[in-house]
Amino acid sequence: MAFHFSRSSFFSSDIGIDLGTGNTLVYVRGRGVVMNEPSVVAVNDKTGQVVAVGKEAKVMLGKTPPHIRAVRPLSRGVISDFEVTQELLAYFIQKAQGGHSRMLGPRVVIGVPTGVTNVESRAVRDAAMTSGAREVFILEEPTAGAIGAKLPITEPIGTMVLDIGAGTTDIAVLSLGGTVSSKSSQVAGDRFNENIIDLVRSEFQLAIGEPTAEEVKIDIDAVMPLEETLEKAVRGRDLATGLPREIKLTDAHVREALAPSLDTLMEAMKEVIEQKPPELLSDVLEYGVTVFGGGALLRGLPELLAKMLGVPVHVTADPLTAVVRGTGIVTEDPSKWSDTFMHEEAILSQA
């Protein structure tokens, strides 16, 4: 009897992953973006078993009994808990393959923040390899996002990008397939949430959690004044009485809370511009800055950046998926990008 096996019986589809502090997005070659779930894992400390991953784990944050930890294993864009990150990647890789294992695992391209050390990039690679990948390539997120936004980064043009994620903000000027100047800042989505928590505590004597601050940021954020005031009712614990209390926040409160962090972000962008060769400065003045990542959705951000920096500012289409789309493009033809974009410590072999 003759047995016939298709190639798919042995090989898994190539996968692109935007491994984010807040959310992890997954691209499967030939299918596009298939997952966008929180980077959260719930672990039972008594048994050592994983209780939930992704969306199911996020709803447990702040609500678990002492023996169950709902944790985010990535802190400020890098791995803070290797074993839990391994579980997270294994979950996404297996789910991306429909729960089916193959004789040879997928080739995986992972986006990481600018400036990660060799040790940190190896930790990402090792976690993915242990999770079933047969090859792993590490791609810096500003480059991945620029590829996903279809910017001309391989041409002799200075292309400036701003990737505002949850844990880090990456700023980079790219030209001829390389990074001319870059900077990674921890002023990002999580810091914005902390700013809102601090303002509510100081001005209203009310304690709120990170999920509530995230809702406030999404619902009524506005870094520039709006024609109509945005309002949101917020419930928390009164610091004086310990009892529940409700207050009303407006976009002006959020703007006040975020102002110091946005000023710091502006200074970081100016530093990157100052580091670039004068020959590329005219390109930035002409083509401006392209913004992606979750922070690109802040109302009025393009206008504020343009006003402060004196250059055009554009938010790419679907900014939340720019990085993972870039990793997905690389999976289509890894050999085209490997020499220029892959982190040298993470390349295992040529495609």
Side-chain angles (χ1 to χ4, degrees), residues 196 211-221 232 234 249 254:
I196 293 170
T212 300
E214 177 78 11
E215 290 180 8
V216 171
K217 183 180 66 179
I218 292 173
D219 292 346
I220 62 170
D221 67 278
K232 182 177 179 64
V234 175
L249 294 179
V254 178

Side-chain angles (χ1 to χ4, degrees), residues 107 137 330-340 342 350-351:
R107 179 168 48 196
F137 301 98
V330 172
T331 67
E332 302 291 336
D333 187 5
S335 61
K336 175 181 178 181
W337 306 100
S338 59
D339 290 340
T340 306
M342 302 303 163
Q350 293 296 325

Side-chain angles (χ1 to χ4, degrees), residues 87-105:
E87 295 286 351
L88 183 73
L89 282 171
Y91 167 81
F92 284 116
I93 291 174
Q94 184 176 14
K95 190 172 180 180
Q97 299 175 82
H100 302 296
S101 60
R102 299 285 189 267
M103 185 175 293
L104 289 177

Side-chain angles (χ1 to χ4, degrees), residues 195-196 199-200 203-204 216-217 219-232 248-260 262 299:
N195 294 152
I196 293 170
L199 179 133
V200 172
E203 292 201 7
F204 296 93
V216 171
K217 183 180 66 179
D219 292 346
I220 62 170
D221 67 278
V223 299
M224 296 280 282
L226 303 174
E227 292 184 3
E228 296 184 8
T229 299
L230 300 178
E231 296 182 344
K232 182 177 179 64
K248 185 172 291 185
L249 294 179
T250 68
D251 58 285
H253 291 121
V254 178
R255 193 156 48 250
E256 178 186 348
L258 302 189
L262 290 174
R299 296 176 183 86

Side-chain angles (χ1 to χ4, degrees), residues 162 221-226 262 266 289 291 295-315:
L162 176 65
D221 67 278
V223 299
M224 296 280 282
L226 303 174
L262 290 174
M266 296 292 178
V289 179
V291 188
L297 300 177
L298 289 172
R299 296 176 183 86
L301 182 65
E303 294 81 4
L304 178 64
L305 292 176
K307 178 180 179 181
M308 298 297 291
L309 299 174
V311 300
V313 177
H314 319 281
V315 175

